[in-house]
Amino acid sequence: MRSTPRSNLASVHAAGDRGRHFVANRLLLLAMVGGIAVAARLFSTSLSGGVVLCPLHGLLGMPCPGCGLTRAFCCLAHGQFATAAGYNPLCFLVAGLGVAGAAISIAELFLRRRLTWYGFFFNGKLARALAAGVITFTLVRIAMLACSGELFSAYIRTSWTYRLLAGS
Amino acid sequence: MDMVDRKDIPVFKMEPVLVLILGLVTCGLYLIYWNIKAAEVLNKVAGREVISPVVAVISGCCAPVHIYYYYLCGQCLPDLGALIGRPEIKDQSILLLILGIFFPMVAAMIVQGHINAIYAEK
């Protein structure tokens, strides 16, 4: 195995690069969160019958972990929390993290330094526990949809592959 | 002098096509695992915490976060290039961000291809 001196990496990390990334990353995060919030507020909460944009859902007719988040965010933006939970309960977690991330980004841009107190977001064990929760939630949701028969009817209604095969 | 040893980099080598297939077959669930492992490798390569593992998990659920995840992956590529002796590998944040919007699986395959280069024998 070959070792590479950190001096090579030092030449990559010119002070200007890191400074540019520091600002750009936070501005991008703010633009993303702000854009989602504005779009969710502008769109109607009665979203149904639209084009399926998710490639997983389009190909397989199966819900991915984020299925329903778009509609859920729209409902959250209109204060319809119960309806949002019905579309995808993960919306509260994702929205909460988004708001927290935006607040931290604003603080760091103002202070011009990286804060250290949110180091737990870089904890691998926390991430694995969260991943296990999300995967379990998705599998349970798929199982419930399958048992209720909604999974197959949704596949017929929305899947690109079924429409292609059925010739419609 | 600080040394970056390839032995310290977690092993995460697999065929990029397999990433695509597993991602589709598991309805995106495999991608949550892939996001975490790729973030782990890239953070180790960069020698700093560029990608939060929590962001890696959430990116498997939410498309905008997924796009942001690929943007961060692109920032680690110059470090990867320096590690494997290929300084021509530049920051591909913008490319991966755009691919993340339109062809996210292609972005994942590109990142996996770069990661595989770490373990290639010379």
Side-chain angles (χ1 to χ4, degrees):
Chain A
M1 289 280 191
R2 199 180 66 175
S3 299
T4 305
R6 272 202 184 272
S7 56
N8 289 359
L9 296 180
S11 66
V12 172
H13 291 311
D17 279 349
R18 287 215 174 163
R20 197 163 55 241
H21 285 155
F22 179 86
V23 174
N25 289 0
R26 281 143 188 83
L27 288 179
L28 181 63
L29 181 67
L30 284 172
M32 186 179 70
V33 174
I36 291 172
V38 169
R41 183 67 191 170
L42 289 176
F43 279 94
S44 167
T45 55
S46 58
L47 300 170
S48 61
V51 177
V52 173
L53 297 173
C54 175
L56 289 169
H57 199 145
L59 286 170
L60 303 172
M62 301 271 275
C64 67
C67 200
L69 272 181
T70 306
R71 287 164 288 173
F73 283 147
C74 289
C75 290
L76 276 183
H78 290 83
Q80 299 170 8
F81 298 111
T83 312
Y87 282 127
N88 193 330
L90 290 177
C91 66
F92 299 108
L93 173 67
V94 178
L97 287 174
V99 170
I104 290 170
S105 294
I106 291 172
E108 289 183 335
L109 283 171
F110 181 73
L111 295 171
R112 295 184 189 178
R113 65 177 175 87
R114 188 171 178 172
L115 299 173
T116 55
W117 59 266
Y118 62 94
F120 61 90
F121 273 130
F122 293 90
N123 186 312
K125 288 182 182 175
L126 173 65
R128 279 171 169 76
L130 184 61
V134 169
I135 291 171
T136 302
F137 160 76
T138 303
L139 290 175
V140 168
R141 188 162 75 151
I142 291 174
M144 289 176 66
L145 287 173
C147 290
S148 67
E150 174 62 20
L151 192 66
F152 185 65
S153 60
Y155 173 74
I156 293 174
R157 249 190 351 260
T158 60
S159 164
W160 307 330
T161 50
Y162 182 82
R163 288 183 182 187
L164 194 66
L165 292 171
S168 58
Chain B
M1 179 193 299
D2 262 343
M3 304 296 279
V4 176
D5 201 329
R6 290 194 194 190
K7 284 188 290 188
D8 295 334
I9 310 295
V11 179
F12 185 52
K13 182 177 182 178
M14 63 186 309
E15 287 299 317
V17 169
L18 211 52
V19 176
L20 171 68
I21 293 171
L22 287 175
L24 287 174
V25 165
T26 61
C27 299
L29 293 178
Y30 171 76
L31 290 177
I32 294 177
Y33 166 78
W34 185 88
N35 288 343
I36 294 175
K37 292 298 290 185
E40 206 175 288
V41 171
L42 292 174
N43 284 341
K44 205 72 175 183
V45 166
R48 64 190 193 281
E49 299 287 355
V50 179
I51 309 169
S52 159
V54 171
V55 167
V57 172
I58 299 300
S59 71
C61 309
C62 185
V65 182
H66 205 47
I67 295 165
Y68 181 67
Y69 172 84
Y70 285 126
Y71 172 79
L72 294 178
C73 286
Q75 291 181 359
C76 299
L77 294 183
D79 292 313
L80 191 151
L83 180 68
I84 61 176
R86 289 180 57 192
E88 69 272 16
I89 297 178
K90 303 293 181 196
D91 188 324
Q92 296 179 12
S93 306
I94 304 301
L95 170 67
L96 289 175
L97 184 146
I98 294 171
L99 282 175
I101 294 172
F102 298 106
F103 306 106
M105 292 310 304
V106 173
M109 292 166 71
I110 289 174
V111 172
Q112 182 66 62
H114 284 304
I115 289 175
N116 287 348
I118 298 173
Y119 317 109
E121 295 295 327
K122 286 223 167 179

